[in-house]
Structure formats: C-alpha cells, structure tokens
Amino acid sequence: MAKKGKNGKKQLTEQQEFEIMKLVLDKFLWLGFAIMAIGFFVAVSGGSLFNAISYLVAGAIVLVLFMILIVREYEIVK
C-alpha cells in the first residue's frame, strides 16, 4: 500500500515504481516496433523506398529514446 508523504501525495515503494516504469516503457517498445513493422510492410509491398526508410528510421529513433529513458532511470536508482 502506498504511504502518504509530507506533501499529501502518495509515495510508492521501489517495486511499485519499477512496475509502473515497466508498463510505460513497454508502450514505447511496442510503438517503436510497430512503426518499424509499417516501414517493412511498405518496403515489401512495393511502396516508395524513401517512405519505407523513413518509417524504419522513425521506429529506430523511438527505440533509442526508449533506451535512453531506461539508462537514465537506472542511473537515478543506483
């Protein structure tokens, strides 16, 4: 159960905070994968190569942002 802090807001345990972080960052992972999958589909279906590469690069950027968020969070916890 979350305790209330000095300012009246609920404080989470490290385990609860980690579970919430996993839920949020998992969405970034799925989003990046979905964008890259769309790019792959465009490339395979004969669409414009530029559009396909654009989707793949955008998906890669989302995944890099995901990685940066994870590294930053783990640095804060340590």
Side-chain angles (χ1 to χ4, degrees):
M1 189 64 129
K3 297 178 184 177
K4 290 207 175 196
K6 295 177 184 178
N7 57 7
K9 293 183 180 178
K10 293 182 181 179
Q11 292 181 335
L12 301 175
T13 65
E14 286 185 24
Q15 182 64 29
Q16 290 170 330
E17 187 175 333
F18 179 73
E19 291 297 323
I20 291 173
M21 183 187 74
K22 278 194 329 187
L23 290 171
V24 171
L25 294 180
D26 184 50
K27 302 307 182 249
F28 278 103
L29 180 64
W30 279 109
L31 181 64
F33 174 75
I35 293 171
M36 292 183 84
I38 291 170
F40 182 72
F41 176 75
V42 169
V44 170
S45 67
S48 169
L49 186 60
F50 178 75
N51 287 342
I53 291 174
S54 297
Y55 278 113
L56 292 171
V57 169
I61 289 171
V62 170
L63 292 176
V64 167
L65 289 174
F66 169 74
M67 180 188 67
I68 291 170
L69 287 171
I70 289 176
V71 169
R72 183 178 294 164
E73 183 65 28
Y74 279 125
E75 287 177 351
I76 290 172
V77 170
K78 288 181 183 179

